[in-house]
Coordinates of all heavy atoms in Angstrom, one line a residue:
F1 N -64.7 -4.3 -30.4 CA -63.9 -5.3 -29.7 C -63.9 -6.7 -30.3 O -62.8 -7.3 -30.4 CB -64.5 -5.4 -28.2 CG -64.0 -6.5 -27.4 CD1 -62.7 -6.4 -26.8 CD2 -64.7 -7.7 -27.2 CE1 -62.2 -7.4 -26.1 CE2 -64.1 -8.7 -26.4 CZ -62.9 -8.5 -25.8
H2 N -65.1 -7.1 -30.8 CA -65.1 -8.4 -31.5 C -64.2 -8.5 -32.7 O -63.6 -9.5 -32.9 CB -66.6 -8.7 -31.8 CG -67.4 -9.0 -30.6 ND1 -68.3 -8.1 -30.2 CD2 -67.5 -10.1 -29.9 CE1 -68.9 -8.5 -29.1 NE2 -68.4 -9.8 -28.9
D3 N -64.2 -7.5 -33.5 CA -63.4 -7.4 -34.7 C -61.9 -7.5 -34.3 O -61.1 -8.2 -35.0 CB -63.6 -6.2 -35.6 CG -65.0 -6.2 -36.2 OD1 -65.6 -7.3 -36.3 OD2 -65.5 -5.1 -36.5
D4 N -61.5 -6.7 -33.3 CA -60.1 -6.8 -32.8 C -59.7 -8.2 -32.3 O -58.6 -8.7 -32.6 CB -59.9 -5.8 -31.7 CG -60.0 -4.3 -32.2 OD1 -59.8 -4.1 -33.4 OD2 -60.3 -3.5 -31.3
L5 N -60.6 -8.9 -31.6 CA -60.3 -10.2 -31.1 C -60.3 -11.1 -32.2 O -59.3 -12.0 -32.3 CB -61.4 -10.6 -30.1 CG -61.3 -11.9 -29.5 CD1 -60.0 -12.0 -28.6 CD2 -62.5 -12.2 -28.6
A6 N -61.1 -11.0 -33.2 CA -61.1 -11.9 -34.4 C -59.8 -11.8 -35.2 O -59.3 -12.8 -35.7 CB -62.4 -11.6 -35.3
K7 N -59.2 -10.7 -35.3 CA -58.0 -10.5 -36.0 C -56.8 -11.3 -35.3 O -55.9 -11.6 -35.9 CB -57.6 -9.0 -36.0 CG -58.5 -8.2 -37.0 CD -58.2 -6.8 -37.0 CE -59.2 -5.9 -37.7 NZ -59.0 -4.5 -37.6
L8 N -56.9 -11.5 -34.0 CA -55.9 -12.2 -33.3 C -56.0 -13.7 -33.3 O -55.0 -14.4 -33.0 CB -55.8 -11.7 -31.8 CG -55.6 -10.2 -31.5 CD1 -55.8 -9.9 -30.1 CD2 -54.1 -9.9 -32.0
M9 N -57.1 -14.1 -33.7 CA -57.4 -15.6 -33.7 C -56.8 -16.3 -34.9 O -56.7 -15.7 -36.0 CB -58.9 -15.9 -33.6 CG -59.5 -15.4 -32.4 SD -61.3 -15.8 -32.5 CE -61.7 -15.7 -30.7
V10 N -56.4 -17.5 -34.7 CA -55.8 -18.3 -35.7 C -56.6 -19.6 -35.9 O -56.7 -20.4 -34.9 CB -54.3 -18.7 -35.4 CG1 -53.7 -19.6 -36.4 CG2 -53.5 -17.4 -35.1
P11 N -57.2 -19.8 -37.1 CA -58.0 -21.0 -37.3 C -57.1 -22.2 -37.3 O -55.9 -22.2 -37.7 CB -58.7 -20.9 -38.7 CG -58.4 -19.5 -39.0 CD -57.3 -18.9 -38.2
F12 N -57.6 -23.4 -36.7 CA -56.8 -24.6 -36.7 C -57.7 -25.7 -36.8 O -58.7 -25.9 -36.1 CB -56.0 -24.7 -35.3 CG -55.0 -25.8 -35.3 CD1 -53.7 -25.5 -35.8 CD2 -55.3 -27.0 -34.7 CE1 -52.8 -26.6 -35.7 CE2 -54.4 -27.9 -34.6 CZ -53.1 -27.8 -35.1
D13 N -57.5 -26.6 -37.8 CA -58.3 -27.8 -38.0 C -57.4 -29.0 -37.5 O -56.4 -29.3 -38.1 CB -58.5 -27.9 -39.6 CG -59.5 -29.1 -39.8 OD1 -60.2 -29.5 -38.9 OD2 -59.5 -29.6 -41.0
A14 N -57.9 -29.5 -36.3 CA -57.2 -30.5 -35.7 C -57.7 -32.0 -35.9 O -58.9 -32.2 -35.8 CB -57.0 -30.2 -34.2
P15 N -56.9 -32.9 -36.0 CA -57.3 -34.3 -36.1 C -57.7 -34.7 -34.6 O -57.2 -34.2 -33.6 CB -56.1 -35.1 -36.5 CG -54.9 -34.3 -36.1 CD -55.4 -32.9 -36.2
E16 N -58.6 -35.7 -34.5 CA -59.1 -36.2 -33.3 C -57.9 -36.7 -32.5 O -56.9 -37.3 -33.0 CB -60.0 -37.4 -33.5 CG -60.6 -38.0 -32.2 CD -61.4 -39.2 -32.5 OE1 -62.0 -39.3 -33.6 OE2 -61.5 -40.1 -31.6
G17 N -57.9 -36.3 -31.2 CA -56.8 -36.7 -30.2 C -55.7 -35.7 -30.2 O -54.8 -35.7 -29.3
H18 N -55.7 -34.6 -31.0 CA -54.6 -33.6 -31.0 C -54.7 -32.9 -29.7 O -55.7 -32.4 -29.3 CB -54.8 -32.6 -32.2 CG -53.9 -31.4 -32.1 ND1 -52.6 -31.5 -32.6 CD2 -53.9 -30.2 -31.5 CE1 -52.0 -30.4 -32.3 NE2 -52.8 -29.5 -31.7
I19 N -53.6 -32.8 -29.0 CA -53.5 -32.1 -27.6 C -53.2 -30.7 -27.8 O -52.1 -30.3 -28.3 CB -52.6 -32.8 -26.7 CG1 -53.0 -34.3 -26.4 CG2 -52.4 -32.1 -25.3 CD1 -52.1 -35.1 -25.6
F20 N -54.1 -29.8 -27.4 CA -53.9 -28.4 -27.4 C -53.2 -27.9 -26.1 O -52.3 -27.0 -26.1 CB -55.2 -27.6 -27.6 CG -55.8 -27.8 -29.0 CD1 -56.8 -28.7 -29.1 CD2 -55.4 -27.0 -30.0 CE1 -57.4 -28.8 -30.4 CE2 -56.0 -27.1 -31.3 CZ -57.0 -28.0 -31.5
I21 N -53.7 -28.3 -25.0 CA -53.3 -27.9 -23.7 C -53.0 -29.2 -22.8 O -53.9 -30.1 -22.8 CB -54.3 -27.0 -23.0 CG1 -54.6 -25.8 -23.8 CG2 -53.9 -26.7 -21.6 CD1 -55.8 -24.9 -23.3
K22 N -51.9 -29.3 -22.2 CA -51.6 -30.5 -21.4 C -51.6 -30.2 -19.9 O -51.0 -29.1 -19.5 CB -50.3 -31.1 -21.8 CG -50.0 -32.4 -21.2 CD -48.7 -33.1 -21.9 CE -48.6 -34.5 -21.3 NZ -47.5 -35.2 -21.9
E23 N -52.3 -31.0 -19.2 CA -52.4 -30.8 -17.7 C -51.1 -30.6 -17.1 O -50.1 -31.3 -17.3 CB -53.1 -32.1 -17.1 CG -53.3 -31.9 -15.6 CD -54.0 -33.2 -15.1 OE1 -54.5 -34.1 -15.8 OE2 -54.0 -33.3 -13.8
G24 N -51.0 -29.5 -16.2 CA -49.8 -29.2 -15.5 C -48.8 -28.3 -16.2 O -47.8 -27.9 -15.6
E25 N -49.1 -28.1 -17.5 CA -48.2 -27.2 -18.3 C -48.7 -25.8 -18.3 O -50.0 -25.6 -18.2 CB -48.0 -27.7 -19.7 CG -47.2 -29.0 -19.6 CD -46.8 -29.6 -21.1 OE1 -47.2 -28.9 -22.0 OE2 -46.2 -30.6 -21.1
P26 N -47.9 -24.7 -18.5 CA -48.4 -23.4 -18.6 C -49.3 -23.2 -19.8 O -49.2 -23.8 -20.8 CB -47.1 -22.5 -18.9 CG -46.0 -23.4 -18.4 CD -46.4 -24.8 -18.6
I27 N -50.3 -22.3 -19.6 CA -51.3 -21.9 -20.6 C -51.0 -20.5 -21.1 O -50.9 -19.6 -20.3 CB -52.7 -22.0 -20.1 CG1 -53.1 -23.3 -19.5 CG2 -53.7 -21.5 -21.1 CD1 -54.4 -23.4 -18.9
N28 N -50.8 -20.5 -22.4 CA -50.4 -19.2 -23.0 C -51.5 -18.7 -24.1 O -51.3 -17.8 -24.8 CB -49.1 -19.1 -23.6 CG -48.8 -20.2 -24.7 OD1 -49.8 -20.8 -25.1 ND2 -47.6 -20.4 -24.9
A29 N -52.6 -19.5 -24.2 CA -53.6 -19.2 -25.2 C -54.8 -19.9 -24.8 O -54.9 -20.8 -23.9 CB -53.2 -19.8 -26.6
F30 N -56.0 -19.4 -25.4 CA -57.3 -20.0 -25.1 C -57.8 -20.4 -26.4 O -57.4 -20.1 -27.4 CB -58.2 -19.0 -24.3 CG -58.8 -17.9 -25.1 CD1 -60.0 -18.0 -25.7 CD2 -58.1 -16.7 -25.2 CE1 -60.5 -17.0 -26.4 CE2 -58.6 -15.7 -25.9 CZ -59.8 -15.8 -26.5
L31 N -58.8 -21.4 -26.3 CA -59.4 -22.0 -27.5 C -60.8 -21.6 -27.6 O -61.6 -21.7 -26.6 CB -59.2 -23.5 -27.3 CG -57.8 -24.1 -27.2 CD1 -57.9 -25.5 -26.8 CD2 -57.0 -23.8 -28.3
M32 N -61.3 -21.3 -28.8 CA -62.7 -21.2 -29.1 C -63.1 -22.2 -30.1 O -62.4 -22.4 -31.1 CB -62.9 -19.8 -29.7 CG -62.7 -18.6 -28.9 SD -64.0 -18.1 -27.8 CE -65.3 -18.0 -28.9
V33 N -64.2 -22.9 -29.9 CA -64.6 -23.9 -30.8 C -65.6 -23.4 -31.8 O -66.6 -22.8 -31.5 CB -65.2 -25.1 -30.0 CG1 -65.8 -26.2 -31.0 CG2 -64.3 -25.6 -29.0
E34 N -65.2 -23.4 -33.1 CA -66.1 -23.1 -34.1 C -67.0 -24.3 -34.6 O -68.2 -24.2 -34.8 CB -65.3 -22.6 -35.3 CG -66.2 -22.1 -36.5 CD -65.4 -21.5 -37.6 OE1 -64.2 -21.8 -37.8 OE2 -66.0 -20.7 -38.4
S35 N -66.3 -25.4 -34.7 CA -67.0 -26.6 -35.1 C -66.2 -27.8 -34.4 O -65.1 -27.8 -34.2 CB -67.2 -26.8 -36.6 OG -65.9 -27.0 -37.2
G36 N -67.0 -28.9 -34.3 CA -66.3 -30.1 -33.6 C -66.4 -30.0 -32.1 O -67.2 -29.2 -31.6
L37 N -65.5 -30.7 -31.4 CA -65.6 -30.8 -30.0 C -64.2 -30.8 -29.4 O -63.3 -31.3 -30.1 CB -66.3 -32.1 -29.6 CG -67.7 -32.3 -29.9 CD1 -68.2 -33.8 -29.6 CD2 -68.6 -31.3 -29.1
L38 N -64.0 -30.3 -28.2 CA -62.8 -30.4 -27.4 C -63.2 -31.3 -26.2 O -64.3 -31.2 -25.7 CB -62.3 -29.1 -26.9 CG -61.8 -28.1 -27.9 CD1 -61.5 -26.8 -27.3 CD2 -60.6 -28.6 -28.7
S39 N -62.3 -32.2 -25.8 CA -62.4 -33.1 -24.7 C -61.4 -32.6 -23.6 O -60.3 -32.4 -23.9 CB -62.1 -34.5 -25.2 OG -62.0 -35.3 -24.0
R40 N -62.0 -32.4 -22.4 CA -61.2 -32.1 -21.2 C -61.1 -33.3 -20.4 O -62.1 -33.8 -20.0 CB -61.8 -30.9 -20.5 CG -61.5 -29.6 -21.2 CD -61.7 -28.3 -20.3 NE -63.0 -28.2 -19.9 CZ -63.6 -27.1 -19.4 NH1 -62.8 -26.0 -19.3 NH2 -64.8 -27.0 -19.1
T41 N -59.9 -33.7 -20.1 CA -59.6 -34.8 -19.2 C -58.6 -34.5 -18.1 O -57.8 -33.6 -18.2 CB -59.1 -36.0 -20.0 OG1 -57.8 -35.6 -20.6 CG2 -60.0 -36.5 -21.1
K42 N -58.7 -35.2 -17.0 CA -57.8 -35.0 -15.8 C -57.2 -36.4 -15.5 O -57.9 -37.4 -15.4 CB -58.6 -34.5 -14.7 CG -57.9 -34.2 -13.4 CD -58.0 -32.7 -13.0 CE -57.3 -32.4 -11.8 NZ -56.0 -31.9 -12.0
R43 N -55.9 -36.3 -15.1 CA -55.2 -37.5 -14.6 C -55.8 -37.8 -13.2 O -55.9 -36.9 -12.4 CB -53.7 -37.3 -14.6 CG -53.1 -37.2 -15.9 CD -51.6 -37.2 -15.8 NE -51.2 -36.1 -14.8 CZ -50.5 -35.0 -15.1 NH1 -50.1 -34.8 -16.3 NH2 -50.1 -34.1 -14.2
P44 N -55.9 -39.1 -12.9 CA -56.3 -39.4 -11.5 C -55.1 -39.1 -10.6 O -53.9 -39.2 -11.1 CB -56.5 -41.0 -11.6 CG -56.7 -41.2 -13.0 CD -56.0 -40.3 -13.8
S45 N -55.3 -38.6 -9.4 CA -54.2 -38.3 -8.5 C -53.8 -39.4 -7.6 O -54.5 -40.4 -7.4 CB -54.7 -37.1 -7.7 OG -55.8 -37.4 -6.9
G46 N -52.5 -39.3 -7.2 CA -52.0 -40.3 -6.3 C -51.1 -41.3 -7.0 O -51.3 -41.6 -8.3
E47 N -50.2 -41.9 -6.3 CA -49.2 -42.8 -6.9 C -49.8 -44.1 -7.4 O -49.4 -44.7 -8.4 CB -48.1 -43.2 -5.8 CG -47.2 -42.0 -5.5 CD -46.1 -42.4 -4.5 OE1 -45.9 -43.6 -4.3 OE2 -45.6 -41.4 -3.9
D48 N -50.9 -44.5 -6.8 CA -51.6 -45.8 -7.2 C -52.3 -45.6 -8.5 O -52.8 -46.7 -9.1 CB -52.6 -46.2 -6.1 CG -51.9 -46.5 -4.8 OD1 -50.7 -46.8 -4.8 OD2 -52.7 -46.6 -3.7
H49 N -52.4 -44.4 -9.0 CA -53.3 -44.2 -10.2 C -52.4 -43.7 -11.4 O -53.0 -43.2 -12.4 CB -54.4 -43.2 -9.9 CG -55.3 -43.8 -8.8 ND1 -56.2 -44.7 -9.0 CD2 -55.5 -43.4 -7.6 CE1 -56.9 -45.0 -8.0 NE2 -56.4 -44.2 -7.0
E50 N -51.1 -43.6 -11.3 CA -50.3 -43.0 -12.3 C -50.5 -43.7 -13.7 O -50.4 -43.0 -14.7 CB -48.8 -43.2 -11.9 CG -48.4 -42.3 -10.8 CD -46.9 -42.4 -10.5 OE1 -46.2 -43.3 -11.1 OE2 -46.5 -41.7 -9.6
D51 N -50.8 -45.0 -13.8 CA -51.0 -45.6 -15.0 C -52.5 -45.7 -15.4 O -52.8 -46.3 -16.5 CB -50.5 -47.0 -15.0 CG -48.9 -47.1 -14.8 OD1 -48.3 -46.1 -15.3 OD2 -48.4 -47.9 -14.2
D52 N -53.4 -45.2 -14.6 CA -54.8 -45.2 -15.0 C -55.1 -44.3 -16.2 O -54.4 -43.3 -16.4 CB -55.7 -44.8 -13.8 CG -55.6 -45.8 -12.6 OD1 -55.0 -46.9 -12.8 OD2 -56.3 -45.5 -11.6
E53 N -56.1 -44.5 -16.9 CA -56.6 -43.7 -18.0 C -57.2 -42.4 -17.3 O -57.7 -42.3 -16.3 CB -57.8 -44.4 -18.8 CG -57.3 -45.6 -19.5 CD -56.5 -45.2 -20.7 OE1 -56.8 -44.2 -21.4 OE2 -55.4 -45.8 -20.9
P54 N -57.0 -41.3 -18.1 CA -57.5 -40.0 -17.7 C -59.1 -40.1 -17.5 O -59.7 -40.9 -18.2 CB -57.2 -39.0 -18.8 CG -56.1 -39.7 -19.6 CD -56.3 -41.2 -19.4
I55 N -59.6 -39.2 -16.7 CA -61.0 -39.1 -16.4 C -61.5 -38.0 -17.3 O -61.0 -36.8 -17.2 CB -61.3 -38.9 -14.9 CG1 -60.7 -40.0 -14.1 CG2 -62.8 -38.7 -14.7 CD1 -60.7 -39.7 -12.7
Q56 N -62.6 -38.2 -18.0 CA -63.2 -37.1 -18.9 C -64.0 -36.2 -18.0 O -64.9 -36.7 -17.2 CB -64.0 -37.7 -20.0 CG -64.5 -36.5 -20.9 CD -65.1 -37.0 -22.2 OE1 -64.8 -38.1 -22.6 NE2 -65.9 -36.2 -22.8
I57 N -63.7 -34.9 -18.1 CA -64.4 -33.9 -17.3 C -65.6 -33.5 -18.1 O -66.7 -33.5 -17.5 CB -63.5 -32.7 -16.9 CG1 -62.3 -33.2 -16.1 CG2 -64.3 -31.6 -16.3 CD1 -61.3 -32.1 -16.0
D58 N -65.5 -33.0 -19.3 CA -66.5 -32.6 -20.1 C -66.1 -32.5 -21.6 O -65.0 -32.7 -21.9 CB -67.1 -31.3 -19.6 CG -66.1 -30.1 -19.7 OD1 -65.0 -30.3 -20.1 OD2 -66.5 -29.0 -19.3
M59 N -67.1 -32.2 -22.4 CA -66.8 -31.9 -23.9 C -67.3 -30.5 -24.1 O -68.2 -30.0 -23.5 CB -67.7 -32.8 -24.7 CG -67.3 -34.3 -24.5 SD -65.7 -34.8 -25.1 CE -65.9 -34.9 -26.9
I60 N -66.5 -29.8 -24.9 CA -66.8 -28.4 -25.2 C -67.1 -28.3 -26.7 O -66.3 -28.7 -27.6 CB -65.5 -27.5 -24.9 CG1 -65.1 -27.7 -23.5 CG2 -65.8 -26.1 -25.3 CD1 -63.7 -27.2 -23.2
G61 N -68.3 -27.7 -27.0 CA -68.8 -27.7 -28.4 C -68.7 -26.3 -29.0 O -68.2 -25.4 -28.4
P62 N -69.2 -26.2 -30.2 CA -69.2 -24.9 -30.9 C -69.7 -23.7 -30.1 O -70.8 -23.9 -29.4 CB -70.2 -25.2 -32.1 CG -70.0 -26.7 -32.3 CD -69.9 -27.2 -30.9
G63 N -69.0 -22.6 -30.2 CA -69.5 -21.4 -29.5 C -68.9 -21.3 -28.1 O -69.1 -20.3 -27.4
R64 N -68.2 -22.3 -27.6 CA -67.7 -22.3 -26.2 C -66.2 -22.1 -26.3 O -65.5 -22.3 -27.3 CB -68.0 -23.7 -25.5 CG -69.6 -23.9 -25.6 CD -70.4 -24.0 -24.4 NE -69.7 -23.9 -23.1 CZ -69.6 -25.0 -22.3 NH1 -70.0 -26.2 -22.6 NH2 -69.0 -24.8 -21.1
A65 N -65.6 -21.9 -25.1 CA -64.2 -21.6 -25.0 C -63.5 -22.4 -23.9 O -64.2 -22.8 -23.0 CB -63.9 -20.2 -24.8
S66 N -62.3 -22.6 -23.9 CA -61.5 -23.3 -22.8 C -60.2 -22.5 -22.7 O -59.5 -22.1 -23.7 CB -61.2 -24.7 -23.2 OG -60.6 -25.3 -22.1
G67 N -59.8 -22.3 -21.4 CA -58.5 -21.7 -21.1 C -58.6 -20.1 -20.9 O -57.6 -19.5 -20.6
F68 N -59.8 -19.5 -21.3 CA -59.8 -18.1 -21.3 C -59.5 -17.5 -19.9 O -58.8 -16.5 -19.8 CB -61.2 -17.6 -21.8 CG -61.3 -16.1 -21.8 CD1 -60.8 -15.4 -22.8 CD2 -62.0 -15.4 -20.8 CE1 -60.9 -14.0 -22.8 CE2 -62.1 -14.1 -20.8 CZ -61.5 -13.3 -21.8
L69 N -60.1 -18.0 -18.9 CA -59.8 -17.4 -17.5 C -58.4 -17.6 -17.1 O -57.9 -16.7 -16.4 CB -60.7 -18.1 -16.5 CG -62.3 -17.8 -16.7 CD1 -63.1 -18.6 -15.7 CD2 -62.5 -16.3 -16.7
H70 N -57.7 -18.6 -17.6 CA -56.3 -18.7 -17.3 C -55.5 -17.6 -18.0 O -54.6 -16.9 -17.3 CB -55.7 -20.0 -17.7 CG -56.1 -21.2 -16.9 ND1 -55.6 -21.5 -15.6 CD2 -57.1 -22.1 -17.1 CE1 -56.1 -22.6 -15.1 NE2 -57.1 -22.9 -16.0
V71 N -55.8 -17.3 -19.2 CA -55.1 -16.4 -20.0 C -55.5 -14.9 -19.6 O -54.5 -14.1 -19.5 CB -55.4 -16.5 -21.5 CG1 -54.8 -15.4 -22.3 CG2 -54.9 -17.9 -22.0
A72 N -56.7 -14.7 -19.3 CA -57.1 -13.4 -18.9 C -57.0 -13.1 -17.4 O -57.1 -11.9 -17.0 CB -58.7 -13.3 -19.2
G73 N -56.5 -14.1 -16.6 CA -56.3 -13.9 -15.2 C -55.0 -13.0 -14.9 O -54.2 -12.7 -15.8
S74 N -54.9 -12.7 -13.7 CA -53.8 -11.8 -13.3 C -52.5 -12.6 -13.1 O -51.4 -11.9 -13.1 CB -54.1 -11.1 -12.0 OG -54.4 -12.0 -11.0
Q75 N -52.5 -13.8 -13.0 CA -51.3 -14.6 -12.7 C -50.7 -15.1 -14.1 O -51.4 -15.9 -14.8 CB -51.5 -15.8 -11.9 CG -52.0 -15.3 -10.4 CD -52.2 -16.6 -9.6 OE1 -52.0 -17.7 -10.0 NE2 -52.7 -16.3 -8.4
S76 N -49.5 -14.7 -14.4 CA -48.9 -15.1 -15.7 C -48.4 -16.5 -15.8 O -48.1 -17.0 -16.8 CB -47.8 -14.1 -16.1 OG -46.8 -14.2 -15.1
E77 N -48.3 -17.2 -14.6 CA -47.7 -18.5 -14.6 C -48.8 -19.6 -14.4 O -48.5 -20.6 -13.7 CB -46.6 -18.6 -13.6 CG -45.4 -17.7 -14.0 CD -44.2 -17.8 -13.1 OE1 -44.2 -18.8 -12.3 OE2 -43.4 -16.9 -13.2
E78 N -50.0 -19.4 -14.8 CA -51.0 -20.4 -14.6 C -50.7 -21.7 -15.3 O -50.2 -21.6 -16.5 CB -52.4 -19.8 -15.1 CG -53.0 -18.7 -14.3 CD -53.7 -19.3 -13.1 OE1 -54.1 -20.4 -13.0 OE2 -53.9 -18.5 -12.2
V79 N -51.0 -22.8 -14.7 CA -50.9 -24.1 -15.4 C -52.2 -24.7 -15.6 O -53.2 -24.4 -14.8 CB -49.9 -25.0 -14.6 CG1 -48.5 -24.4 -14.6 CG2 -50.4 -25.3 -13.2
A80 N -52.3 -25.5 -16.6 CA -53.6 -26.2 -16.9 C -54.0 -27.2 -15.9 O -53.2 -28.0 -15.4 CB -53.5 -26.9 -18.2
F81 N -55.2 -27.2 -15.4 CA -55.7 -28.2 -14.4 C -56.2 -29.5 -15.2 O -56.5 -30.5 -14.6 CB -56.8 -27.6 -13.5 CG -58.1 -27.5 -14.2 CD1 -59.1 -28.5 -14.2 CD2 -58.5 -26.3 -14.9 CE1 -60.3 -28.4 -14.8 CE2 -59.7 -26.2 -15.5 CZ -60.6 -27.2 -15.5
A82 N -56.3 -29.4 -16.5 CA -56.8 -30.5 -17.3 C -56.1 -30.5 -18.7 O -55.5 -29.5 -19.1 CB -58.3 -30.5 -17.5
T83 N -56.1 -31.7 -19.3 CA -55.7 -31.7 -20.7 C -56.8 -31.4 -21.6 O -58.0 -31.9 -21.4 CB -55.1 -33.1 -21.0 OG1 -54.0 -33.3 -20.2 CG2 -54.8 -33.3 -22.5
V84 N -56.7 -30.6 -22.7 CA -57.7 -30.3 -23.7 C -57.2 -30.8 -25.0 O -56.2 -30.5 -25.5 CB -57.9 -28.8 -23.7 CG1 -59.0 -28.5 -24.8 CG2 -58.3 -28.2 -22.3
A85 N -58.0 -31.7 -25.6 CA -57.6 -32.3 -26.9 C -58.9 -32.3 -27.8 O -60.0 -32.2 -27.4 CB -57.3 -33.8 -26.6
A86 N -58.6 -32.4 -29.1 CA -59.7 -32.5 -30.1 C -60.4 -33.8 -29.9 O -59.8 -34.8 -29.8 CB -59.1 -32.4 -31.5
G87 N -61.7 -33.6 -29.8 CA -62.6 -34.8 -29.6 C -63.2 -35.3 -30.9 O -63.0 -34.8 -32.0
K88 N -64.0 -36.3 -30.7 CA -64.8 -36.8 -31.8 C -65.8 -35.8 -32.3 O -66.5 -35.2 -31.4 CB -65.5 -38.2 -31.5 CG -64.5 -39.2 -31.2 CD -65.3 -40.5 -30.9 CE -64.3 -41.6 -30.6 NZ -64.9 -42.9 -30.2
G89 N -66.1 -35.7 -33.5 CA -67.1 -34.8 -34.0 C -66.6 -33.8 -34.8 O -66.8 -32.8 -35.2

């Protein structure tokens, strides 16, 4: 199983700030971190907060994944609840 999964993966070296998944948009892939960090952020809700900076939810480091449950889930039209971008590190 691991070898089959590894064959499907595509390595990607992203600069800091590169957006992989944008909040509210459909998710069609998941991310595995080999090195570096991913930052997950969420926009504040409500009309009064449209121009506010996103709130950082967490950082995802080596050996961790993001988006897997969306991709592996039964609903094909899942949208991202957060933005996932390349972080510092």
Side-chain angles (χ1 to χ4, degrees):
F1 173 76
H2 291 101
D3 291 338
D4 292 335
L5 184 58
K7 289 176 188 174
L8 298 173
M9 294 182 161
V10 178
F12 190 83
D13 188 16
E16 182 182 334
H18 175 83
I19 296 175
F20 290 100
I21 299 170
K22 192 167 184 177
E23 181 179 349
E25 293 185 0
I27 298 177
N28 59 10
F30 72 95
L31 306 169
M32 296 274 312
V33 179
E34 181 178 23
S35 65
L37 295 170
L38 293 176
S39 172
R40 285 197 292 200
T41 59
K42 181 121 178 97
R43 291 187 308 248
S45 61
E47 291 180 19
D48 296 341
H49 300 286
E50 288 180 358
D51 295 327
D52 290 357
E53 289 293 314
I55 299 165
Q56 184 164 341
I57 298 170
D58 62 1
M59 298 292 281
I60 303 165
R64 307 244 352 251
S66 182
F68 180 77
L69 294 177
H70 288 281
V71 174
S74 60
Q75 297 179 4
S76 61
E77 296 183 16
E78 287 280 340
V79 295
F81 75 90
T83 294
V84 180
K88 295 180 183 178

